[in-house]
Amino acid sequence: MPISNENIIVADDLTISYDLHRERKKLIALQDINLEIKKGEFVVLVGPSGCGKTSFINAVSGLIPKSGGSVKVRGEEVTAPGPDRAMVFQDYALLPWRTVESNIRLPYELQNLGISEEEKKQRVKNCLELVDLAGFEKSFPYELSGGMKQRVGIARALATNPDILLADEPFAAIDAMTREAMQAEMERIVMETGQTCVFITHSIDEAILLGDRVVVISYRPGKIKEIVNIDFPRPRMNNSEVKISKTYAELRDHIWNLVKDEAMQTTRGE
Amino acid sequence: MAKATEQIQYETDDPNRIQDVGWTFKEVWRRTRGFVVTSVNLIIFFILWEIVTTYGNINSLFLPKASAMFQELWVGMTTRAPEGAVFSGSILDHFLHSFTNLMTGLAIAMAIGIPGGLLMGGNKYVESILSPYVWALASLPRIALVPLFILFLGFTTTMQVTIIVISAVFPIVINAWAGVKTTEKSLLAAAKVFGANRVQLYYKVVLPYTLPFIISGIQQGIGRGLIGVVIAELFGGSNGLGYLIQRSADTFNTAMTFAVLLLLIVMSLSLINFTRWLEAKVAPWRNVNHL
């Protein structure tokens, strides 16, 4: 799916801070973020733990208020969540008392999208097929493996046919082998649906394999350190040329050098 | 969790992956051993009791024969007091009185406790206003209030039910309150992202999440309520199992006393097992291993 020239998400001097009530202080999580994301683009945010990547995604989704600057989706200031933006969570966030199908239908129950019951049924079916879970409609989340749970999470995010898919370390809790398979699925799904995707990860490999651009965020307060363009043709996942290419190694090394010092800092707790 | 996953047969699996092993002695034993062991255990216990009381030099005033206790229980549960009797010696009459009181008390405790706890968990103003009273009354030994309720309400059924309510309501309130408070943040975030308003957040996420907590509150409430039943009847009243315990002990009918105690144990265990079953039914994902 080609990337259009139209900006869909625009962050302008976006600042997000949290109140630390006990210390009577304010912690700045993200400072002066300027980022323009084009329609159909796959943007990956990388950075050390606690650098404010999640805050950015939460601000785009409308879950948390901003303390300065603005973030606009299709030219409109974000004030609350909307059906045009869906999210995939690190811990899946599936309602354990609902079946797979019922979990995917949740967005339909919570908001009126003005679509018929027939259409809903068809969409649920399509979503399940897209994530390879046909036949598991009546299973409960606790009966599924981690990878399957996250597929349900992705299917639920796709149910409203959103323009923007926000993914907060979706594969962090999934084992390495399943993870590679899930990355391939993710690339395929986003290519098929033509969605704009903002994806957070700690894995540099994941960032290079999935992203059109990789945004490296610095540590405390989170600022954009560098934006790296990735130009490999898609699909990259089943293309063994990509991972063994010289460019790949160089990109990997470059991004690692950008995050290295700060990653070291977080491990020392400074 | 593993159990359910193992049963899933993928299309790509070898069709022989899950094989039929049929019934083996081991499998039958595995399923029935809990019941068999408990039954044998209890039978041996009562037989030993019978032997010790028959051949040991034990005053039946202190420890009656097990058979005498069962006989008393059988007679007491199968006869009713005649019409117009001043005092009933039938266990069934007193049991029905106590059981009705307990159920009424629990129903009132739930009607107050569930909405109360949910409100306290959901609204920080309600929480800060009510929590000192809840903690004060929850930490006060409820038996200390009995003389006061006798003063207010006299030796009436209302007094007995009030004591049951005050005994059972606090575990229910506190559990519902804690359930709301511990609702997983990511579930709330997910519901918000997909468009939930405040009412839907409660109805679709917080309430189902809290349901198992409420049930375990009710389970604790049953235990406390039973204490309330017996205390209320011991102190004031002329019917109920608590009264019967006192009456039979006063008249040196120890077999009757033991029969009523056994009935109380059976009643309590049945109710608690019912709530456990209910808990497993409404929240299979919690997969709690009970003691």
Side-chain angles (χ1 to χ4, degrees):
Chain A
M1 187 64 64
I3 302 166
S4 80
N5 282 323
E6 183 194 338
N7 284 332
I8 188 161
I9 303 170
V10 179
D12 200 9
D13 283 337
L14 177 66
T15 301
I16 291 164
S17 59
Y18 296 99
D19 288 330
L20 303 171
H21 292 285
R22 215 166 284 173
E23 290 92 355
R24 275 165 288 126
K25 281 174 188 158
K26 228 161 79 171
L27 174 103
I28 295 171
L30 270 182
Q31 197 171 30
D32 300 334
I33 299 292
N34 287 297
L35 187 64
E36 288 171 356
I37 297 171
K38 293 190 163 52
K39 200 165 181 297
E41 200 175 18
F42 201 123
V43 172
V44 182
L45 308 180
V46 291
S49 304
C51 75
K53 305 179 296 281
T54 303
S55 299
F56 180 77
I57 273 199
N58 284 344
V60 175
S61 75
L63 275 177
I64 57 168
K66 33 195 176 287
S67 12
S70 77
V71 55
K72 290 179 180 166
V73 169
R74 242 187 261 92
E76 278 181 46
E77 193 67 42
V78 173
T79 51
D84 55 337
R85 285 154 286 146
M87 202 188 273
V88 182
F89 295 83
Q90 180 180 347
D91 58 358
Y92 325 127
L94 302 173
L95 301 180
W97 51 87
R98 284 172 172 246
T99 60
V100 166
E101 189 180 7
S102 170
N103 260 295
I104 296 172
R105 293 182 72 97
L106 181 74
Y108 301 145
E109 293 172 27
L110 297 176
Q111 51 200 338
N112 185 9
L113 298 167
I115 52 176
S116 66
E117 188 56 33
E118 287 298 301
E119 164 100 35
K120 286 176 188 169
K121 265 186 198 150
Q122 191 56 43
R123 277 205 200 172
V124 170
K125 197 165 162 278
N126 291 347
C127 289
L128 278 168
E129 274 168 11
L130 204 58
V131 297
D132 268 333
L133 272 182
F136 288 94
E137 289 86 350
K138 300 283 173 249
S139 303
F140 283 90
Y142 66 91
E143 296 171 327
L144 305 177
S145 67
M148 291 163 86
K149 280 185 206 164
Q150 194 56 290
R151 285 165 202 254
V152 180
I154 294 169
R156 179 179 61 180
L158 297 174
T160 55
N161 216 350
D163 296 330
I164 300 168
L165 199 59
L166 305 166
D168 186 359
E169 294 182 46
F171 309 142
I174 294 172
D175 68 90
M177 283 172 160
T178 314
R179 189 170 178 154
E180 294 216 4
M182 293 294 290
Q183 288 165 356
E185 296 265 302
M186 191 81 191
E187 185 185 42
R188 178 177 63 80
I189 289 165
V190 172
M191 279 174 70
E192 272 180 38
T193 55
Q195 279 155 337
T196 311
C197 187
V198 185
F199 191 101
I200 293 178
T201 181
H202 278 121
S203 156
I204 295 173
D205 287 305
E206 195 167 87
I208 298 172
L209 286 169
L210 287 175
D212 294 313
R213 277 194 294 165
V214 176
V215 179
V216 182
I217 297 179
S218 69
Y219 187 53
R220 292 186 182 175
K223 290 181 182 172
I224 294 182
K225 199 165 188 179
E226 196 177 316
I227 298 177
V228 182
N229 287 311
I230 314 281
D231 292 325
F232 293 115
R234 287 188 191 274
R236 297 169 187 169
M237 280 305 164
N238 295 320
N239 183 354
S240 48
E241 300 288 307
V242 174
K243 266 198 162 181
I244 55 170
S245 70
K246 191 158 172 282
T247 331
Y248 183 90
E250 281 168 2
L251 279 168
R252 206 186 178 290
D253 193 49
H254 179 63
I255 297 174
W256 170 240
N257 280 323
L258 286 172
V259 298
K260 184 170 66 181
D261 294 342
E262 280 147 340
M264 293 292 186
Q265 238 179 51
T266 56
T267 60
R268 287 196 298 266
E270 281 165 15
Chain B
M1 184 169 158
K3 192 187 92 206
T5 329
E6 280 161 17
Q7 288 167 354
I8 294 168
Q9 175 93 6
Y10 294 93
E11 275 174 37
T12 48
D13 286 354
D14 185 330
N16 292 326
R17 185 176 164 230
I18 296 176
Q19 293 174 354
D20 214 345
V21 288
W23 284 99
T24 57
F25 173 75
K26 216 175 168 182
E27 179 61 22
V28 174
W29 171 241
R30 202 178 66 79
R31 293 193 186 204
T32 53
R33 74 182 157 199
F35 179 74
V36 171
V37 168
T38 309
S39 312
V40 171
N41 187 357
L42 287 178
I43 290 167
I44 292 173
F45 173 78
F46 284 116
I47 289 175
L48 280 177
W49 179 349
E50 188 71 18
I51 291 170
V52 167
T53 44
T54 309
Y55 298 104
N57 188 17
I58 288 169
N59 189 339
S60 65
L61 188 59
F62 300 131
L63 186 63
K65 283 187 191 175
S67 55
M69 175 186 74
F70 282 115
Q71 196 188 355
E72 199 69 51
L73 188 62
W74 174 253
V75 173
M77 289 303 278
T78 48
T79 48
R80 307 286 305 255
E83 201 71 41
V86 181
F87 163 70
S88 168
S90 148
I91 299 177
L92 185 60
D93 286 342
H94 292 284
F95 168 76
L96 288 175
H97 175 82
S98 294
F99 191 74
T100 316
N101 278 359
L102 179 66
M103 287 299 133
T104 318
L106 280 175
I108 297 172
M110 283 188 242
I112 300 171
I114 296 170
L118 292 176
L119 265 172
M120 286 181 76
N123 186 308
K124 60 173 187 273
Y125 296 106
V126 178
E127 181 181 26
S128 50
I129 291 168
L130 289 184
S131 65
Y133 303 104
V134 168
W135 286 124
L137 286 171
S139 58
L140 184 73
R142 259 49 58 92
I143 189 171
L145 292 170
V146 173
L148 210 55
F149 283 118
I150 294 176
L151 183 68
F152 291 159
L153 302 164
F155 295 103
T156 57
T157 307
T158 318
M159 179 273 293
Q160 295 177 340
V161 172
T162 310
I163 289 168
I164 298 164
V165 173
I166 207 92
S167 304
V169 76
F170 292 106
I172 298 173
V173 170
I174 291 169
N175 269 278
W177 178 15
V180 176
K181 285 273 165 186
T182 52
T183 307
E184 259 177 63
K185 292 267 183 330
S186 66
L187 295 185
L188 294 172
K192 279 186 203 159
V193 162
F194 294 110
N197 58 34
R198 219 177 144 69
V199 177
Q200 287 172 324
L201 219 51
Y202 268 83
Y203 183 57
K204 302 268 185 191
V205 182
V206 175
L207 202 59
Y209 192 89
T210 312
L211 197 59
F213 287 82
I214 294 175
I215 291 174
S216 88
I218 294 170
Q219 194 176 317
Q220 292 169 36
I222 289 171
R224 304 281 189 86
L226 260 173
I227 297 174
V229 168
V230 174
I231 286 174
E233 291 163 355
L234 278 175
F235 275 82
S238 53
N239 39 22
L241 292 176
Y243 173 73
L244 196 58
I245 289 175
Q246 193 166 39
R247 173 89 184 190
S248 56
D250 285 352
T251 53
F252 305 111
N253 187 356
T254 325
M256 169 80 93
T257 312
F258 274 83
V260 176
L261 291 177
L262 185 67
L263 185 62
L264 277 172
I265 291 171
V266 171
M267 176 162 90
S268 173
L269 284 181
S270 314
L271 286 171
I272 285 170
N273 275 320
F274 170 71
T275 56
R276 281 181 179 177
W277 172 83
L278 200 66
E279 197 177 5
K281 198 86 185 162
V282 300
W285 69 89
R286 295 227 310 182
N287 204 10
V288 185
N289 291 318
H290 281 294
L291 291 173

